[in-house]
Coordinates of all heavy atoms in Angstrom, one line a residue:
M1 N 269.8 208.1 -204.0 CA 269.6 207.0 -204.9 C 270.0 207.3 -206.3 O 269.5 208.3 -206.8 CB 268.1 206.6 -204.8 CG 267.9 205.2 -205.5 SD 266.1 204.7 -205.4 CE 265.9 204.3 -203.7
N2 N 270.9 206.6 -206.9 CA 271.3 206.9 -208.2 C 270.3 206.4 -209.3 O 269.3 205.8 -208.9 CB 272.7 206.4 -208.5 CG 272.8 204.9 -208.5 OD1 271.8 204.2 -208.7 ND2 274.0 204.3 -208.2
R3 N 270.6 206.7 -210.5 CA 269.7 206.4 -211.6 C 269.4 204.9 -211.8 O 268.3 204.5 -212.0 CB 270.2 207.0 -212.9 CG 269.3 206.9 -214.0 CD 269.8 207.6 -215.2 NE 268.9 207.5 -216.3 CZ 269.0 208.1 -217.4 NH1 270.0 209.0 -217.6 NH2 268.2 207.9 -218.4
K4 N 270.5 204.1 -211.7 CA 270.3 202.6 -211.8 C 269.5 202.0 -210.7 O 268.6 201.2 -210.9 CB 271.6 201.9 -211.9 CG 272.4 202.2 -213.2 CD 273.7 201.4 -213.2 CE 274.4 201.6 -214.5 NZ 275.6 200.8 -214.6
Q5 N 269.6 202.5 -209.5 CA 268.8 202.0 -208.4 C 267.4 202.4 -208.5 O 266.5 201.6 -208.2 CB 269.4 202.6 -207.0 CG 270.7 202.0 -206.6 CD 271.3 202.6 -205.4 OE1 271.0 203.8 -205.1 NE2 272.1 201.9 -204.7
R6 N 267.1 203.6 -209.0 CA 265.7 204.1 -209.2 C 265.1 203.2 -210.3 O 263.9 202.9 -210.2 CB 265.7 205.5 -209.6 CG 265.7 206.4 -208.4 CD 265.3 207.8 -208.7 NE 266.6 208.4 -209.2 CZ 266.6 209.6 -209.9 NH1 265.6 210.2 -210.1 NH2 267.8 210.0 -210.3
A7 N 265.8 202.9 -211.4 CA 265.3 202.1 -212.4 C 265.0 200.7 -211.9 O 263.9 200.2 -212.3 CB 266.3 202.1 -213.6
A8 N 265.9 200.2 -211.1 CA 265.6 198.8 -210.6 C 264.4 198.8 -209.7 O 263.6 197.9 -209.7 CB 266.9 198.3 -209.9
A9 N 264.3 199.8 -208.8 CA 263.1 199.9 -207.9 C 261.8 200.1 -208.7 O 260.8 199.5 -208.4 CB 263.3 201.1 -207.0
T10 N 261.9 200.9 -209.8 CA 260.7 201.1 -210.6 C 260.3 199.8 -211.3 O 259.1 199.4 -211.3 CB 261.0 202.1 -211.7 OG1 261.4 203.3 -211.1 CG2 259.8 202.4 -212.6
V11 N 261.2 199.1 -211.8 CA 260.9 197.8 -212.5 C 260.3 196.8 -211.4 O 259.3 196.1 -211.7 CB 262.1 197.2 -213.1 CG1 261.9 195.8 -213.6 CG2 262.5 198.0 -214.3
L12 N 260.9 196.8 -210.2 CA 260.4 195.9 -209.2 C 258.9 196.2 -208.8 O 258.1 195.4 -208.7 CB 261.3 196.0 -208.0 CG 260.9 195.1 -206.8 CD1 260.9 193.6 -207.2 CD2 261.8 195.3 -205.6
V13 N 258.7 197.5 -208.6 CA 257.3 197.9 -208.2 C 256.3 197.6 -209.3 O 255.2 197.1 -209.1 CB 257.3 199.5 -207.9 CG1 255.9 200.0 -207.8 CG2 258.1 199.7 -206.6
L14 N 256.7 197.9 -210.6 CA 255.8 197.6 -211.7 C 255.5 196.1 -211.8 O 254.4 195.7 -212.1 CB 256.3 198.2 -213.0 CG 256.3 199.7 -213.1 CD1 256.9 200.2 -214.4 CD2 254.9 200.2 -213.0
M15 N 256.6 195.3 -211.6 CA 256.4 193.8 -211.7 C 255.5 193.3 -210.6 O 254.6 192.5 -210.9 CB 257.7 193.2 -211.6 CG 258.6 193.3 -212.9 SD 260.2 192.5 -212.7 CE 259.9 190.9 -212.1
V16 N 255.6 193.9 -209.4 CA 254.7 193.5 -208.3 C 253.3 193.9 -208.6 O 252.4 193.0 -208.4 CB 255.2 194.0 -207.0 CG1 254.2 193.9 -205.9 CG2 256.5 193.4 -206.6
V17 N 253.1 195.1 -209.0 CA 251.7 195.6 -209.2 C 251.0 194.9 -210.3 O 249.9 194.4 -210.2 CB 251.7 197.1 -209.4 CG1 250.4 197.6 -209.9 CG2 252.1 197.8 -208.1
L18 N 251.7 194.8 -211.5 CA 251.2 194.1 -212.6 C 251.0 192.6 -212.4 O 250.1 192.0 -212.9 CB 252.0 194.4 -213.9 CG 252.0 195.9 -214.2 CD1 252.9 196.2 -215.4 CD2 250.6 196.4 -214.5
G19 N 252.0 192.0 -211.7 CA 251.9 190.6 -211.4 C 250.7 190.3 -210.5 O 250.0 189.3 -210.7
W20 N 250.5 191.1 -209.5 CA 249.3 190.9 -208.6 C 248.0 191.0 -209.4 O 247.1 190.2 -209.2 CB 249.4 192.0 -207.5 CG 248.2 192.0 -206.6 CD1 248.0 191.1 -205.6 CD2 247.0 192.8 -206.7 NE1 246.8 191.4 -205.0 CE2 246.2 192.4 -205.7 CE3 246.6 193.8 -207.6 CZ2 244.9 193.0 -205.4 CZ3 245.4 194.4 -207.3 CH2 244.5 193.9 -206.3
S21 N 247.9 192.0 -210.2 CA 246.6 192.2 -211.0 C 246.5 191.0 -212.0 O 245.3 190.6 -212.2 CB 246.6 193.5 -211.7 OG 247.7 193.6 -212.6
T22 N 247.5 190.5 -212.5 CA 247.4 189.3 -213.4 C 247.0 188.1 -212.7 O 246.1 187.3 -213.1 CB 248.8 189.1 -214.1 OG1 249.2 190.2 -214.8 CG2 248.7 187.9 -215.1
A23 N 247.5 187.9 -211.5 CA 247.1 186.8 -210.6 C 245.7 186.9 -210.2 O 244.9 185.9 -210.3 CB 248.0 186.7 -209.4
M24 N 245.2 188.0 -209.9 CA 243.8 188.2 -209.5 C 242.9 187.9 -210.7 O 241.8 187.3 -210.6 CB 243.5 189.6 -209.0 CG 244.1 189.9 -207.7 SD 243.2 189.0 -206.5 CE 244.5 188.6 -205.3
A25 N 243.3 188.4 -211.9 CA 242.5 188.1 -213.1 C 242.5 186.6 -213.4 O 241.4 186.1 -213.8 CB 243.0 188.9 -214.3
A26 N 243.6 185.9 -213.2 CA 243.7 184.5 -213.5 C 242.8 183.7 -212.5 O 242.3 182.6 -212.9 CB 245.1 184.0 -213.4
M27 N 242.6 184.2 -211.3 CA 241.8 183.5 -210.3 C 240.3 183.9 -210.5 O 239.5 183.4 -209.7 CB 242.3 183.8 -208.9 CG 243.6 183.2 -208.6 SD 244.1 183.4 -206.8 CE 244.4 185.1 -206.7
G28 N 240.0 184.7 -211.4 CA 238.6 185.0 -211.6 C 238.1 186.2 -210.8 O 236.9 186.3 -210.6
H29 N 238.9 187.0 -210.3 CA 238.5 188.2 -209.5 C 238.4 189.4 -210.4 O 238.9 190.5 -210.1 CB 239.4 188.4 -208.4 CG 239.5 187.3 -207.4 ND1 238.5 187.1 -206.5 CD2 240.4 186.4 -207.2 CE1 238.9 186.1 -205.7 NE2 240.0 185.6 -206.2
A30 N 237.6 189.3 -211.5 CA 237.5 190.4 -212.4 C 236.8 191.7 -211.8 O 237.2 192.8 -212.1 CB 236.7 190.0 -213.7
A31 N 235.9 191.4 -210.9 CA 235.2 192.5 -210.2 C 236.2 193.3 -209.3 O 236.2 194.5 -209.2 CB 234.0 192.0 -209.4
L32 N 237.1 192.6 -208.7 CA 238.1 193.2 -207.8 C 239.0 194.0 -208.7 O 239.4 195.2 -208.3 CB 238.9 192.1 -207.1 CG 240.0 192.7 -206.1 CD1 239.3 193.5 -205.0 CD2 240.8 191.5 -205.5
I33 N 239.4 193.5 -209.8 CA 240.4 194.2 -210.7 C 239.7 195.5 -211.2 O 240.3 196.5 -211.3 CB 240.8 193.3 -211.9 CG1 241.5 192.1 -211.4 CG2 241.6 194.1 -212.9 CD1 243.0 192.3 -211.2
A34 N 238.4 195.4 -211.6 CA 237.7 196.5 -212.1 C 237.6 197.6 -211.1 O 237.7 198.8 -211.4 CB 236.3 196.1 -212.6
G35 N 237.4 197.3 -209.8 CA 237.3 198.2 -208.7 C 238.7 198.9 -208.4 O 238.7 200.0 -208.0
L36 N 239.7 198.1 -208.6 CA 241.1 198.6 -208.3 C 241.8 199.2 -209.5 O 243.0 199.6 -209.3 CB 241.9 197.5 -207.6 CG 241.4 197.1 -206.2 CD1 242.2 196.0 -205.7 CD2 241.4 198.3 -205.2
A37 N 241.3 199.1 -210.6 CA 242.0 199.6 -211.8 C 242.4 201.1 -211.7 O 243.6 201.4 -212.1 CB 241.1 199.4 -213.1
P38 N 241.6 202.0 -211.2 CA 242.1 203.3 -211.0 C 243.3 203.4 -210.0 O 244.2 204.2 -210.3 CB 240.9 204.1 -210.4 CG 239.7 203.3 -210.8 CD 240.2 201.9 -210.8
V39 N 243.3 202.6 -209.0 CA 244.4 202.6 -208.1 C 245.7 202.1 -208.7 O 246.8 202.6 -208.6 CB 244.1 201.7 -206.8 CG1 245.3 201.6 -205.9 CG2 242.9 202.3 -206.1
L40 N 245.5 201.0 -209.5 CA 246.7 200.5 -210.3 C 247.2 201.5 -211.3 O 248.4 201.7 -211.4 CB 246.3 199.2 -211.0 CG 245.9 198.0 -210.1 CD1 245.4 196.9 -210.9 CD2 247.1 197.6 -209.3
G41 N 246.3 202.2 -211.9 CA 246.8 203.2 -212.9 C 247.5 204.3 -212.2 O 248.5 204.8 -212.7
L42 N 246.9 204.8 -211.1 CA 247.6 205.9 -210.3 C 248.9 205.4 -209.8 O 249.9 206.2 -209.9 CB 246.7 206.3 -209.2 CG 247.2 207.4 -208.3 CD1 247.3 208.7 -209.1 CD2 246.2 207.7 -207.1
T43 N 249.0 204.2 -209.4 CA 250.3 203.7 -208.9 C 251.4 203.7 -210.0 O 252.5 204.2 -209.8 CB 250.2 202.3 -208.3 OG1 249.2 202.3 -207.3 CG2 251.5 201.7 -207.9
V44 N 251.0 203.2 -211.1 CA 251.9 203.2 -212.3 C 252.3 204.6 -212.7 O 253.5 204.9 -212.9 CB 251.3 202.4 -213.4 CG1 252.2 202.6 -214.7 CG2 251.2 201.0 -213.1
S45 N 251.3 205.5 -212.7 CA 251.6 206.9 -213.1 C 252.5 207.6 -212.1 O 253.4 208.4 -212.5 CB 250.4 207.7 -213.4 OG 249.7 207.9 -212.2
Q46 N 252.3 207.4 -210.8 CA 253.2 208.0 -209.8 C 254.6 207.4 -209.9 O 255.6 208.2 -209.7 CB 252.6 207.8 -208.4 CG 251.4 208.6 -208.2 CD 250.8 208.4 -206.8 OE1 251.0 207.4 -206.2 NE2 250.0 209.3 -206.3
V47 N 254.7 206.1 -210.1 CA 256.1 205.6 -210.2 C 256.8 206.1 -211.4 O 258.0 206.5 -211.4 CB 256.0 204.0 -210.3 CG1 257.3 203.4 -210.7 CG2 255.5 203.4 -209.0
I48 N 256.1 206.3 -212.5 CA 256.7 206.9 -213.7 C 257.1 208.3 -213.5 O 258.2 208.8 -213.9 CB 255.8 206.7 -214.9 CG1 255.7 205.3 -215.3 CG2 256.3 207.6 -216.1 CD1 254.6 205.0 -216.4
R49 N 256.3 209.1 -212.8 CA 256.5 210.5 -212.5 C 257.8 210.6 -211.6 O 258.6 211.5 -211.8 CB 255.3 211.1 -211.9 CG 255.5 212.6 -211.6 CD 254.3 213.2 -211.0 NE 254.5 214.6 -210.8 CZ 253.8 215.4 -210.1 NH1 252.7 214.9 -209.6 NH2 254.0 216.7 -209.9
V50 N 257.9 209.8 -210.6 CA 259.1 209.8 -209.7 C 260.4 209.5 -210.4 O 261.4 210.1 -210.1 CB 258.8 208.9 -208.5 CG1 260.1 208.7 -207.8 CG2 257.8 209.4 -207.6
T51 N 260.3 208.6 -211.4 CA 261.5 208.2 -212.1 C 262.0 209.1 -213.1 O 263.1 209.1 -213.6 CB 261.4 206.8 -212.7 OG1 260.3 206.8 -213.6 CG2 261.1 205.8 -211.6
R52 N 261.2 210.1 -213.6 CA 261.6 211.0 -214.6 C 262.6 212.0 -214.0 O 262.4 212.5 -212.9 CB 260.4 211.7 -215.2 CG 259.4 210.8 -215.9 CD 258.2 211.4 -216.3 NE 258.4 212.4 -217.4 CZ 257.5 213.2 -217.9 NH1 256.3 213.1 -217.4 NH2 257.8 214.0 -218.8
P53 N 263.6 212.4 -214.8 CA 264.5 213.3 -214.3 C 263.9 214.7 -214.2 O 263.0 215.1 -214.9 CB 265.7 213.3 -215.3 CG 265.0 212.8 -216.6 CD 263.9 211.9 -216.1
V54 N 264.4 215.5 -213.2 CA 263.9 216.8 -212.9 C 264.5 217.8 -213.9 O 265.8 217.8 -214.0 CB 264.1 217.2 -211.5 CG1 263.7 218.6 -211.2 CG2 263.5 216.3 -210.5
T55 N 263.8 218.5 -214.6 CA 264.3 219.6 -215.5 C 263.9 220.9 -215.0 O 262.9 221.1 -214.2 CB 263.8 219.4 -216.9 OG1 262.3 219.5 -216.9 CG2 264.1 218.0 -217.5
G56 N 264.6 221.9 -215.4 CA 264.3 223.3 -214.9 C 263.4 224.0 -215.8 O 263.4 225.2 -215.8
S57 N 262.6 223.3 -216.6 CA 261.7 224.0 -217.6 C 260.3 224.4 -217.0 O 259.5 224.8 -217.8 CB 261.6 223.1 -218.8 OG 261.0 221.9 -218.5
G58 N 260.1 224.2 -215.8 CA 258.7 224.5 -215.2 C 258.6 226.0 -215.0 O 259.5 226.8 -215.1
P59 N 257.3 226.4 -214.7 CA 257.1 227.8 -214.4 C 257.8 228.2 -213.1 O 257.9 227.4 -212.2 CB 255.6 227.9 -214.2 CG 255.1 226.5 -213.9 CD 256.1 225.6 -214.5
R60 N 258.3 229.4 -213.1 CA 259.0 229.9 -211.9 C 258.3 231.2 -211.4 O 257.8 231.9 -212.2 CB 260.4 230.2 -212.3 CG 261.2 229.0 -212.7 CD 262.6 229.3 -213.0 NE 263.3 228.1 -213.4 CZ 264.6 227.9 -213.4 NH1 265.3 228.9 -212.9 NH2 265.1 226.8 -213.8
A61 N 258.3 231.3 -210.1 CA 257.8 232.5 -209.5 C 258.7 233.7 -209.7 O 259.9 233.5 -209.6 CB 257.5 232.3 -208.0
E62 N 258.1 234.9 -209.8 CA 259.0 236.1 -210.0 C 259.4 236.5 -208.6 O 258.6 236.3 -207.6 CB 258.2 237.2 -210.6 CG 257.8 236.9 -212.1 CD 257.1 238.0 -212.7 OE1 257.2 239.2 -212.2 OE2 256.3 237.8 -213.7
S63 N 260.6 237.1 -208.5 CA 261.0 237.5 -207.2 C 260.3 238.8 -206.8 O 260.0 239.7 -207.7 CB 262.5 237.8 -207.2 OG 262.8 238.8 -208.1
V64 N 259.9 239.0 -205.6 CA 259.2 240.1 -205.1 C 260.2 240.9 -204.2 O 260.7 240.3 -203.3 CB 257.9 239.7 -204.3 CG1 257.2 240.9 -203.8 CG2 257.0 238.9 -205.2
P65 N 260.3 242.2 -204.4 CA 261.2 243.0 -203.5 C 260.6 243.0 -202.1 O 259.4 243.0 -201.9 CB 261.2 244.4 -204.2 CG 260.0 244.4 -205.0 CD 259.7 243.1 -205.4
D66 N 261.6 243.1 -201.1 CA 261.2 243.2 -199.7 C 260.5 244.6 -199.5 O 260.7 245.6 -200.2 CB 262.4 243.1 -198.8 CG 263.0 241.8 -198.9 OD1 262.3 240.8 -199.1 OD2 264.2 241.7 -198.6
K67 N 259.6 244.6 -198.4 CA 258.9 245.8 -198.1 C 259.9 246.8 -197.5 O 260.9 246.4 -196.9 CB 257.8 245.5 -197.1 CG 256.7 244.7 -197.7 CD 255.6 244.5 -196.7 CE 254.5 243.8 -197.3 NZ 253.4 243.6 -196.4
E68 N 259.6 248.1 -197.7 CA 260.5 249.1 -197.1 C 260.3 249.1 -195.6 O 259.4 248.6 -195.0 CB 260.1 250.5 -197.7 CG 260.4 250.6 -199.2 CD 261.9 250.5 -199.5 OE1 262.7 251.0 -198.8 OE2 262.2 249.8 -200.6
D69 N 261.2 249.8 -194.9 CA 261.2 249.8 -193.4 C 259.9 250.4 -192.9 O 259.4 250.0 -191.9 CB 262.3 250.7 -192.9 CG 263.7 250.0 -193.1 OD1 263.7 248.7 -193.3 OD2 264.7 250.6 -193.1
G70 N 259.3 251.4 -193.5 CA 258.1 252.1 -193.0 C 256.8 251.4 -193.4 O 255.7 251.8 -192.9
A71 N 256.9 250.4 -194.2 CA 255.6 249.7 -194.6 C 255.1 248.8 -193.6 O 255.9 248.2 -192.8 CB 255.9 248.9 -195.9
P72 N 253.8 248.7 -193.4 CA 253.2 247.8 -192.4 C 253.4 246.3 -192.7 O 253.5 245.9 -193.7 CB 251.7 248.2 -192.4 CG 251.4 249.0 -193.6 CD 252.7 249.4 -194.1

């Protein structure tokens, strides 16, 4: 999936999630929104995390030499 397709998918997901929560609030389901707010926040944060480009600046594991032939 190229960058434009990911951006379009992200916008679509965010529009659906935020539109749904707006509709629920408009219908008076504030208690439902309050209960699902953490889920909505997690959804948005995961979508944002997926769309960010991967950089090589994270921690890396050090290479470990192989054991010698006589080692258990």
